[in-house]
C-alpha cells in the first residue's frame, strides 16, 4: 500500500519520478505527489485522485532538479484529499512514507506540546516534524534519520530530503519493501523493482532495520538496525522489465484474463518432464530423489494467504488431501499470525502471494520460521520479501500483473497447487503412475481449454446489462469448485461493488435460501462430476423459490441448460482441472458487470494491489 520512489542523478527528476509512479500506482491511487530539491529550494506538486491529475499539474512547471522523491497513496490516516497527499514538508525536511506509524498519537501529542502545527491528518507528517527538529540542531540528514527511526513504532519505508543537505537522499525501512537501484551516476530508490529496472539492473534489497544514504558523489552507505556501517550485496537482475502496456486491450484486467493460457503453461513448464509426462517439482532440493524423499516425510501442510490467494489455498486443500493424502489446513494470514498456531514438526507451511509483499502473509511466514518449521512460498514476484525469506520457492510465472483484482496469478496458483498435489501423491506412494499420467495430460490441456473459454468475453458483454439488474449474487459450488464460487463472488464485490457471496452449495438450506427471490442471481457451478446430482438438487431449490440461475456446467448438459436462465458450458475435464476452467466465466462476468456499471476495473475504489500494511 502506497508506492514511494526517490531519484538522485544527472537527469531532470520529475519525468523519471512520474514514470516510476505509473509502475507503482497499483499500490494505491487515492492521491499522489512529487517533491524536488534544487539549490536549497523545494518544489512540491500534489493532487488528489489518480496520477493523471498530478501529471497535469507538473506538466510545464518542472523544476528540472536532479533530486526528488514521490509517492502514490492508499489512505490510512486522513481522507484522500490534497493536504494529506505526500510528500510532507516541514521546515528544511521533506519525506514520503509507506506504512503506518502505530505510536503516532503519542508522538503527535508530544510535538503539538512543542507548538508544532500539523497541516495534514496523516500519521506520516510527524516524521517530517521529528526530522526537522534534528536538522535544526545541526545534525546531518543521516544522523537525524538514525535518531528519529528509534522513536517510530509500526511499519515504515521512508525517503527523506533536507534542504540543508543538498545532494542526498536518506532511506530507511521496517516492514514495507524498499529497494535501491544503483545506476551509473544515478540512484533510484523504490518500493518495487518495476520502478527501478528501466534505469538499472544493479540492485540492493533492504532488510528490516536498514538505512541508506545516497549522494551525488555516487556514494551509498548502508547502516544496520544498530547504526553500524554495513556492506550489502549488490545483485544484478537477469531479467529486463516487462513492459506494463495494455497493448490493444481496453484494460489491464482483460489483457491479463487473455494471458491465462500462457500463465498456466508457464506455471506448469518447469515442473513437468515432457518426455515421460511426470511431475518433477524443481527448486526444493538438489536432486529429484531428495525432493521426493522430502515430500514423503511431510506430515502436515498449512496454507496461509490473503484475498484471491487465500481462495487458491482452499483449492489446494482439496487437491493436496485427495491426491497427496496429506492433511491440510488453510487459513487467512491475518488470523494465522495472531492465534499462536500449533505447528508440529515435519509440517510444511505454504505461503501463496502474488506480490510477495502482503504484510499479514509476511508476518505469518516469519512466525512459522520462528517456530522452526519449513516454509514454501508460491509467489509471482521473484526477489520479493516473501520469496527471499521462505525456505523453498515455487513461482506462478504469470508475468507482471497490474489489474488490482488478481486474475492470471490465480489460475497459475491453481496449476502449481495441482502439481504439488501430484508430487505429494507420488512421494507418498498413493498415486499410481497411470493416475499421474492422466492428471498431467489433463493439466497440459488447460491452456487450450482456456483459449476456448475466452469466447465468453462476448457473451458476458452482451448479458451484462441484464445481469446488472440483480440485487445480489450467490455463487454456489461443491468440492474443489467451492473455492471458485468464493473467488467469483470476491471478483464481483471488488469490481462491481455489489453484494455477492460464495457458498458451499450444501449450505444453502442453512440460511442463504432465505435470500432467494426473483431478484437474486445464483451462479451455480455444476459440472457432471460425482457431486453433480447434489448440486442440481440445490439448484432446483433455488428455482422453486423464484431465483435466477446462471449455470456453469459440462458441455452438452441439456438438463442443466433447461433449468438455467443462462448456461455456460465448459469442456469435460478431470476434477482437478475443472476449477481452473470454471474460473474464466466468473472472471469475465465480474469484468463486464463492472464495466456496465461504469466502474474502473483496473483500479477499483478503496483497494490496492499490494497490501503492505495490516
Ligand atoms: C489485495 C489484492 C488482491 C490479492 C490480495 C493478496 O487484496 O487486491 O488481488 O489477492 O491482496 O495479495 P497477494 O499479493 O499476497 O497475493
Amino acid at each position: 500500500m502506497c508506492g514511494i520512489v526517490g531519484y538522485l542523478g544527472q537527469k531532470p527528476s520529475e519525468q523519471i519520478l512520474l514514470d516510476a509512479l505509473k509502475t507503482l500506482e497499483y499500490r494505491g491511487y487515492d492521491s499522489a505527489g512529487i517533491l524536488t530539491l534544487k539549490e536549497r529550494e523545494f518544489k512540491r506538486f500534489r493532487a488528489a485522485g489518480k496520477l493523471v491529475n498530478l501529471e497535469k499539474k507538473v506538466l510545464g512547471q518542472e523544476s528540472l532538479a536532479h533530486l526528488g522523491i514521490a509517492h502514490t497513496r492508499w489512505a490510512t490516516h486522513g481522507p484522500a484529499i490534497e493536504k494529506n497527499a505526500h510528500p510532507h514538508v516541514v521546515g528544511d525536511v521533506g519525506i514520503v512514507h509507506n506504512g503506518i506509524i502505530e505510536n503516532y498519537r503519542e508522538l503527535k501529542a508530544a510535538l503539538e506540546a512543542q507548538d508544532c502545527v500539523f497541516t495534514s491528518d496523516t500519521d506520516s507528517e510527524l516524521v517530517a516534524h521529528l526530522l526537522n527538529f534534528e536538522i535544526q540542531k545541526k545534525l546531518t540528514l543521516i544522523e537525524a534519520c538514525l535518531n528519529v527511526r528509534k522513536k517510530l513504532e509500526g511499519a515504515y519505508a521512508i525517503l527523506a530530503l533536507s534542504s540543508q543537505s543538498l545532494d542526498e537522499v536518506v532511506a530507511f525501512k521496517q516492514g514495507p519493501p524498499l529497494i535501491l537501484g544503483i545506476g551509473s551516476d544515478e540512484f533510484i530508490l523504490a518500493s518495487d523493482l518495476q520502478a527501478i529496472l528501466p534505469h538499472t539492473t544493479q540492485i540492493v534489497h533492504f532488510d528490516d532495520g536498514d538505512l541508506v544514504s545516497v549522494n551525488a558523489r555516487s556514494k551509498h552507505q548502508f547502516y544496520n538496525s544498530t547504526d553500524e556501517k554495513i556492506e550489502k550485496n549488490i545483485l544484478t537482475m537477469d531479467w529486463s522489465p516487462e513492459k506494463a502496456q495494455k497493448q490493444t486491450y481496453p484494460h489491464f484486467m482483460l489483457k491479463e484474463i487473455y494471458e491465462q493460457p500462457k500463465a498456466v503453461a508457464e506455471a506448469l513448464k518447469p515442473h513437468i518432464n515432457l518426455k515421460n509426462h511426470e511431475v518433477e517439482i524443481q527448486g526444493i532440493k538438489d536432486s529429484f530423489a531428495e525432493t521426493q524423499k522430502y515430500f514423503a516425510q511431510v506430515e502436515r501442510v498449512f496454507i496461509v494467504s490473503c484475498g484471491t490467494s487465500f481462495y487458491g489455498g482452499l483449492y489446494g486443500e482439496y487437491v493436496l488431501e485427495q491426491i497427496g493424502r496429506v492433511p491440510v489446513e488453510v487459513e487467512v494470514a491475518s488470523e494465522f499470525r495472531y492465534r499462536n498456531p500449533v505447528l508440529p514438526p515435519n509440517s510444511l507451511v505454504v505461503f501463496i502471494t502474488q506480490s510477495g509483499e502482503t504484510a499479514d502473509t509476511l508476518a505469518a511466514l516469519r512466525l512459522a520460521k520462528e517456530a522452526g518449521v519449513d516454509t514454501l512460498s508460491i509467489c509471482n514476484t521473484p526477489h520479493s520479501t516473501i520469496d527471499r525469506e521462505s525456505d523453498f520457492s515455487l513461482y506462478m510465472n504469470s508475468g507482471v500483473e497490474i489489474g488490482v483484482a488478481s486474475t492470471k496469478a490465480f489460475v497459475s496458483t491453481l496449476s502449481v497447487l495441482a502439481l504439488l498435489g501430484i508430487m505429494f501423491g507420488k512421494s507418498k506412494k498413493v498415486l499410481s503412475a497411470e493416475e499421474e499420467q492422466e492428471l498431467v495430460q489433463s493439466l497440459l490441456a488447460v491452456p487450450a481449454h482456456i483459449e476456448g473459454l475466452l469466447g465468453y468475453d462476448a457473451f458476458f458483454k452482451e448479458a451484462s446489462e441484464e445481469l446488472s439488474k440483480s440485487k445480489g449474487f450467490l455463487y454456489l459450488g461443491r468440492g474443489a469448485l467451492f473455492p471458485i464460487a468464493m473467488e467469483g463472488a470476491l471478483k464481483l464485490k471488488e469490481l462491481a461493488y455489489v453484494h455477492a457471496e460464495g457458498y458451499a452449495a450444501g449450505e444453502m438450506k442453512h440460511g442463504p435460501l432465505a435470500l432467494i427471490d426473483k431478484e437474486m442471481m445464483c451462479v451455480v457451478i455444476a459440472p457432471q462430476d460425482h457431486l453433480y446430482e447434489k448440486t442440481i438438487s440445490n439448484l432446483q431449490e433455488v428455482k422453486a423459490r423464484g431465483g435466477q440461475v446462471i449455470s456453469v456446467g459440462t458441455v452438452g448438459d441439456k438438463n442443466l441448460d433447461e433449468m438455467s436462465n443462462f448456461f455456460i458450458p465448459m469442456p469435460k475435464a478431470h476434477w482437478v482441472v475443472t476449477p481452473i476452467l470454471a474460473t474464466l466465466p466468473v472472471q469475465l462476468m465480474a469484468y463486464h458487470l463492472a464495466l456496465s456499471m461504469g466502474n474502473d476495473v483496473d483500479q477499483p475504489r478503496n483497494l490496492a494491489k499490494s497490501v503492505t500494511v495490516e
Side-chain angles (χ1 to χ4, degrees):
M1 319 220 99
C2 299
I4 62 174
V5 58
Y7 176 79
L8 170 62
Q10 307 295 317
K11 301 175 196 139
S13 59
E14 274 101 347
Q15 196 54 51
I16 290 174
L17 293 169
L18 279 172
D19 288 345
L21 285 183
K22 281 179 201 156
T23 70
L24 297 172
E25 206 182 5
Y26 73 89
R27 303 177 69 86
Y29 34 80
D30 292 339
S31 56
I34 284 184
L35 180 76
T36 59
L37 179 60
K38 188 180 178 187
E39 291 155 11
R40 297 193 188 282
E41 288 282 315
F42 281 131
K43 186 161 187 176
R44 180 167 65 165
F45 302 92
R46 294 188 296 175
K50 300 275 167 74
L51 189 52
V52 61
N53 299 346
L54 178 69
E55 266 186 304
K56 280 187 208 143
K57 280 194 170 176
V58 175
L59 202 72
Q61 304 294 321
E62 293 89 343
S63 68
L64 305 178
H66 295 174
L67 169 60
I69 54 177
H71 186 271
T72 180
R73 180 168 187 248
W74 187 88
T76 58
H77 295 61
I81 52 178
E82 188 173 324
K83 73 166 187 174
N84 292 329
H86 298 217
H88 292 289
V89 177
V90 175
D92 289 324
V93 172
I95 63 112
V96 287
H97 166 223
N98 169 25
I100 293 178
I101 307 296
E102 287 174 358
N103 57 339
Y104 91 100
R105 282 176 211 282
E106 70 190 71
L107 291 175
K108 190 171 175 182
L111 286 162
E112 281 172 336
Q114 294 175 73
D115 296 332
C116 287
V117 177
F118 280 77
T119 58
S120 76
D121 313 311
T122 65
D123 53 334
S124 311
E125 186 187 341
L126 68 86
V127 179
H129 281 282
L130 291 171
L131 287 173
N132 190 47
F133 262 111
E134 304 290 308
I135 296 292
Q136 300 317 315
K137 287 190 247 160
K138 303 290 175 222
L139 295 191
T140 64
L141 184 56
I142 302 176
E143 290 164 343
C145 290
L146 288 171
N147 286 350
V148 164
R149 69 175 182 166
K150 295 189 177 80
K151 300 181 178 158
L152 305 179
E153 287 169 18
Y156 50 80
I158 291 171
L159 306 181
L161 300 180
S162 161
S163 54
Q164 298 302 318
S165 189
L166 281 186
D167 294 316
E168 185 176 28
V169 185
V170 175
F172 51 106
K173 83 126 191 167
Q174 181 68 38
L178 195 57
I179 302 165
L180 168 67
I182 305 171
S184 52
D185 291 338
E186 63 182 3
F187 293 104
I188 184 150
L189 288 141
S191 311
D192 182 322
L193 266 182
Q194 295 304 317
I196 294 176
L197 288 173
H199 302 275
T200 176
T201 53
Q202 303 277 302
I203 63 123
V204 182
H205 286 290
F206 280 64
D207 290 309
D208 279 347
D210 282 351
L211 177 148
V212 78
S213 151
V214 300
N215 65 38
R217 293 171 301 287
S218 301
K219 289 264 167 51
H220 72 272
Q221 178 63 59
F222 271 93
Y223 297 79
N224 65 13
S225 57
T226 49
D227 298 356
E228 289 152 346
K229 287 185 178 177
I230 50 166
E231 296 293 319
K232 292 197 54 108
N233 279 347
I234 301 176
L235 304 177
T236 304
M237 294 291 98
D238 56 0
W239 47 291
S240 56
E242 192 176 324
K243 278 255 178 271
Q245 304 283 354
K246 284 184 214 154
Q247 295 159 358
T248 52
Y249 294 94
H251 303 100
F252 281 111
M253 180 179 175
L254 191 63
K255 175 179 171 255
E256 288 157 7
I257 288 175
Y258 271 79
E259 284 171 346
Q260 291 181 121
K262 186 166 178 243
V264 170
E266 293 296 320
L268 297 175
K269 198 158 101 185
H271 311 294
I272 293 185
N273 180 339
L274 286 175
K275 286 196 198 114
N276 54 15
H277 280 189
E278 282 191 20
V279 172
E280 294 175 1
I281 295 280
Q282 303 296 319
I284 307 291
K285 298 281 174 187
D286 289 343
S287 74
F288 182 59
E290 280 176 83
T291 303
Q292 247 185 324
K293 217 163 125 193
Y294 176 74
F295 280 107
Q297 59 80 48
V298 172
E299 286 169 13
R300 194 167 198 94
V301 174
F302 296 81
I303 306 180
V304 182
S305 42
C306 301
T308 287
S309 293
F310 169 64
Y311 296 130
L314 287 176
Y315 162 86
E317 180 174 20
Y318 287 90
V319 176
L320 265 63
E321 288 209 339
Q322 289 190 47
I323 300 180
R325 302 312 294 157
V326 59
V328 180
E329 266 178 55
V330 187
E331 195 162 358
V332 285
S334 54
E335 289 301 314
F336 180 88
R337 65 179 287 193
Y338 288 119
R339 73 171 176 84
N340 195 10
V342 176
L343 300 172
N346 296 340
S347 294
L348 174 66
V349 192
V350 178
F351 298 89
I352 302 174
T353 170
Q354 189 285 131
S355 63
E357 302 293 352
T358 301
D360 284 321
T361 311
L362 176 58
L365 166 70
R366 289 178 177 164
L367 181 144
K369 290 194 79 172
E370 261 176 44
V373 290
D374 288 346
T375 57
L376 162 68
S377 61
I378 300 177
C379 192
N380 196 34
T381 314
H383 309 286
S384 57
T385 312
I386 293 174
D387 174 33
R388 283 182 288 124
E389 292 194 14
S390 50
D391 298 313
F392 311 120
S393 297
L394 296 177
Y395 297 102
M396 298 176 189
N397 288 343
S398 320
V400 176
E401 191 180 69
I402 302 287
V404 165
S406 185
T407 52
K408 61 179 179 173
F410 182 68
V411 293
S412 298
T413 299
L414 303 193
S415 310
V416 173
L417 287 166
L419 294 173
L420 261 188
I422 298 170
M423 191 66 207
F424 270 109
K426 60 194 272 182
S427 305
K428 290 183 175 292
K429 305 203 187 314
V430 291
L431 183 74
S432 70
E434 295 72 43
E435 286 168 321
E436 179 179 2
Q437 298 273 316
E438 191 199 347
L439 271 162
V440 167
Q441 268 154 23
S442 308
L443 283 167
L444 289 173
V446 170
H449 286 326
I450 296 182
E451 291 282 358
L453 291 162
L454 289 169
Y456 288 116
D457 185 8
F459 168 81
F460 280 113
K461 186 174 183 183
E462 181 110 6
S464 59
E465 211 183 302
E466 176 70 24
L467 292 174
S468 66
K469 291 179 190 147
S470 303
K471 70 166 186 214
F473 293 79
L474 277 179
Y475 287 68
L476 306 178
R478 282 175 182 263
L481 292 157
F482 170 37
I484 308 306
M486 287 189 276
E487 168 60 6
L490 175 65
K491 281 284 142 307
L492 202 68
K493 276 184 270 207
E494 292 179 290
L495 297 167
Y497 319 147
V498 294
H499 187 69
E501 273 188 85
Y503 253 95
E507 277 290 291
M508 280 300 279
K509 292 187 197 70
H510 301 289
L513 261 187
L515 292 169
I516 300 297
D517 62 17
K518 63 181 182 343
E519 290 175 4
M520 181 62 86
M521 181 61 79
C522 287
V523 181
V524 184
I525 310 176
Q528 286 169 326
D529 58 16
H530 67 296
L531 295 167
Y532 174 72
E533 296 299 342
K534 299 196 182 298
T535 312
I536 293 299
S537 301
N538 302 132
L539 188 156
Q540 297 282 21
E541 288 152 13
V542 167
K543 293 292 291 178
R545 285 153 185 87
Q548 311 292 306
V549 170
I550 303 177
S551 61
V552 179
T554 307
V555 65
D557 186 346
K558 288 211 182 73
N559 175 38
L560 185 58
D561 190 356
E562 276 162 22
M563 284 187 283
S564 314
N565 302 69
F566 300 95
F567 173 55
I568 313 292
M570 300 182 287
K572 189 161 182 51
H574 195 288
W575 72 265
V576 167
V577 156
T578 305
I580 310 180
L581 307 186
T583 301
L584 267 287
V586 299
Q587 291 173 340
L588 286 164
M589 179 172 143
Y591 171 79
H592 282 294
L593 242 83
L595 276 189
S596 74
M597 292 169 173
N599 298 349
D600 184 338
V601 290
D602 282 339
Q603 296 182 334
R605 70 183 182 199
N606 305 338
L607 302 180
K609 187 153 189 69
S610 187
V611 180
T612 54
V613 293
E614 280 189 63

